[in-house]
Amino acid sequence: MIAPLISLTSLLCACCALAFLIVIDLKERLLPNTYVLVFALCGLAFHAITNFHFVSPGGVAGGIVMGGGLLYAVRFFANRTYNQDTLGLGD
């Protein structure tokens, strides 16, 4: 009975963190690592509490690797193209 309440709470916290990140990004054009970490931890907590019902642990790890790899690839090519830092690592 408590697991659904905790998973719902982590999901709501993730949505609040995402909304907060959107506002910060629109104003500052910078995502503070602290808030990005909170968002990531909420997602991990949600999947752990639901016993990875929606996505397997391998799927979570694969998503982290693929998402991070894609951002690093975009950053690499954009930095080469524009000769400056174009994408922060928190983005």
Side-chain angles (χ1 to χ4, degrees):
M1 180 66 182
I2 191 115
L5 182 61
I6 294 172
S7 63
L8 181 61
T9 302
S10 67
L11 186 60
L12 290 174
C13 287
C15 289
C16 289
L18 183 59
F20 194 64
L21 283 168
I22 290 169
V23 170
I24 291 173
D25 193 29
L26 290 173
K27 287 182 179 179
E28 305 291 327
R29 302 181 70 68
L30 178 69
L31 297 174
N33 291 336
T34 304
Y35 300 120
V36 174
L37 179 62
V38 168
F39 181 68
L41 291 177
C42 287
L44 287 174
F46 173 79
H47 288 296
I49 291 166
T50 59
N51 291 321
F52 297 94
H53 175 74
F54 300 101
V55 180
S56 69
V60 171
I64 291 169
V65 170
M66 293 293 289
L70 179 64
L71 284 176
Y72 273 109
V74 168
R75 183 174 197 255
F76 175 79
F77 289 112
N79 287 354
R80 297 275 186 230
T81 302
Y82 297 110
N83 294 321
Q84 65 181 14
D85 278 338
T86 54
L87 184 67
L89 296 177
D91 293 340

